[in-house]
Amino acid sequence: MHRIKRIVQPMAAQNGAMPATRPSQLLTPQSFGDISRFLREGVADEESRQLRDSLGALSMQIDEAVRTRRTSTDTAAITRRVLALSHCAREHQLFLTGLGSAWHALYEFGAYQRALRELRNAIAQWQHMLERRSSKESATFDQFELLAWRTLGEALLLIDMYEHQSDPQSDLLDAAPPRKLSAWQRARAWLQRWRR
């Protein structure tokens, strides 16, 4: 979970500077494509790998839609990208329903599903604004992009929590609570310190 907090940071359009104190092995994604590449690097069980693949495909579709929107004035081309993104998001949501109970038991799974539903609604709204050639399209796009970052952050947290939970060498288990001494043991230790 701590790894995710350092990895997921929204792209700042005006400020591309990254903190100099960040460890070199941790990358701060500056695009949705960076998240897709990060997802391919993980080693996990089969369901986790499939989720990473599905999420990577969604991330790439988001990246392509955002890139097209930023570099093109062709509304038809942007709309085609948004339609492809909408289809990919729907497939990804359907994929989630088939994951095992260990995924569904996580609190983060429900939070991710809510974020994904909100993202799908934002995609539909953006598509609607594009089709109407509305002056509100820019604000709708900004909202979509914000929700895309949030959704992918929720997904990375979900994956991290699932893999952390399934890892028997979890650092949560490494730190065993200190053993409480009985009154007799504390008194004996006190006497030993007193005699020195």
Side-chain angles (χ1 to χ4, degrees), residues 95-178:
F95 168 78
L96 291 178
T97 62
L99 288 175
S101 61
W103 289 96
H104 290 267
L106 292 170
Y107 168 81
E108 291 80 7
F109 188 81
Y112 176 57
Q113 283 190 310
R114 281 187 298 281
L116 185 58
R117 276 192 303 274
E118 289 177 22
L119 178 64
R120 288 189 63 202
N121 290 338
I123 293 168
Q125 185 67 24
W126 183 26
Q127 179 184 342
H128 182 69
M129 292 296 140
L130 283 167
E131 289 168 349
R132 289 181 45 209
R133 297 183 184 262
S134 172
S135 61
K136 296 179 182 178
E137 183 274 335
S138 180
T140 306
F141 168 73
D142 291 342
Q143 181 65 22
F144 152 76
E145 190 174 20
L146 181 69
L147 286 171
W149 279 111
R150 178 180 159 235
T151 302
L152 293 175
E154 292 280 355
L156 293 174
L157 180 61
L158 169 65
I159 290 169
D160 193 54
M161 291 303 291
Y162 174 80
E163 291 176 358
H164 189 76
Q165 158 189 305
S166 62
D167 182 6
Q169 299 302 320
S170 167
D171 59 359
L172 292 176
L173 299 176
D174 290 344

